[in-house]
Amino acid sequence: MAAETSSLQARARIHAALGDPARLAVVDALTLGDASPGEIAADLGMPSNLVAHHVKVLQEAGLLARIRSEGDRRRTYLRLVPGVLSSLTAPRLHSAERVVFVCTHNSARSQLAAALWRNRIGGEVASAGTLPARRVHPRAVRVAHEHGLALDPTGTNHVDDIVHDGDLIIAVCDNAHENLTGAVRPRLHWSVPDPVRVDTDEAFEAAYTDLADRIDRIAPTLTLGADHG
């Protein structure tokens, strides 16, 4: 009975937090990708002090978590806590001809994301890096193979050679999100921790799981080109 009461109270806090239209707009904005409080304020046309208030309420309700950027350590990003609102329906994205996942070295996260998308969703998908490495990281190749996915160990690409008009660019790396400020800009940002920095099988598995969860979340909201099945 105590556990049921605790669960009801937690659910009530979530529903109460979402009862404000501005807070629901913040959650909608974070359903498809992570963002800093400043980015939320700019996207929603909301004063920063009001965003800070709404973020505090949502965080206290257990909906949001703060993570520090692996690029500019002065920045923090907001992300939805996985599973808290499993029934949350994301806003639909405009149609895209192709999905392109981008990170710094195109050696792990963007490679895994593209392989996952190709396997689970299908359609046109690619990956690239802002400073591509010579090879895909061996642990990324290994974790992909363990999950039945294929990665080409030598198949890294520069973002300038891959991205075309009409692509949906998803940055799966804080540095790529922060550095791509010219004509090529990510439409979405997923703040996935860099497994290469830790360089353990567990870190690469965690990155794979994070990407898989996000792909499952975004797939129903996106309409791809004619090749999408």
Side-chain angles (χ1 to χ4, degrees):
M1 180 64 71
E4 291 180 2
T5 300
S6 176
S7 175
L8 285 172
Q9 291 173 342
R11 289 166 59 197
R13 284 195 300 271
I14 292 170
H15 284 289
L18 293 175
D20 184 285
R23 288 196 287 273
L24 186 57
V26 172
V27 171
D28 277 348
L30 293 172
T31 301
L32 301 177
D34 310 325
S36 67
E39 289 170 335
I40 291 292
D43 288 345
L44 299 181
M46 194 182 299
S48 58
N49 62 332
L50 190 56
V51 170
H53 166 70
H54 290 314
V55 165
K56 182 174 183 291
V57 173
L58 292 167
Q59 194 168 2
E60 289 176 347
L63 282 159
L64 304 185
R66 290 180 180 268
I67 50 177
R68 190 166 297 280
S69 168
E70 292 182 345
D72 182 349
R73 299 292 294 175
R74 295 168 298 179
R75 296 195 190 198
T76 60
Y77 293 111
L78 305 171
R79 66 179 294 173
L80 290 181
V81 176
V84 174
L85 280 182
S86 58
S87 61
L88 185 63
T89 301
R92 294 197 65 83
L93 286 170
H94 296 298
S95 62
E97 297 174 6
R98 184 177 64 159
V99 175
V100 179
F101 293 98
V102 177
C103 64
T104 302
H105 299 302
N106 192 214
S107 64
R109 290 166 289 183
S110 57
Q111 292 278 353
L112 290 170
L116 270 161
W117 188 278
R118 189 176 295 111
N119 178 263
R120 296 192 175 193
I121 311 301
E124 294 293 326
V125 62
S127 70
T130 55
L131 294 169
R134 293 182 179 180
R135 296 177 62 84
V136 179
H137 196 286
R139 292 189 191 273
V141 175
R142 184 180 309 130
V143 75
H145 288 175
E146 289 175 352
H147 289 278
L149 305 177
L151 291 186
D152 177 2
T154 63
T156 61
N157 301 285
H158 194 281
V159 63
D160 290 345
D161 299 325
I162 294 298
V163 173
H164 304 140
D165 291 341
D167 289 338
L168 168 62
I169 305 172
I170 303 177
V172 293
C173 160
D174 294 341
N175 281 307
H177 171 66
E178 293 162 15
N179 292 336
L180 289 173
T181 58
V184 175
R185 289 184 59 84
R187 197 190 311 179
L188 296 176
H189 169 217
W190 297 349
S191 186
V192 180
D194 185 2
V196 176
R197 293 193 180 193
V198 181
D199 201 15
T200 64
D201 290 341
E202 291 76 15
F204 279 81
E205 183 66 31
Y208 171 91
T209 301
D210 192 352
L211 291 164
D213 175 72
R214 291 172 182 270
I215 285 172
D216 287 344
R217 190 190 309 168
I218 192 179
T221 75
L222 180 64
T223 302
L224 294 177
D227 291 336
H228 177 60

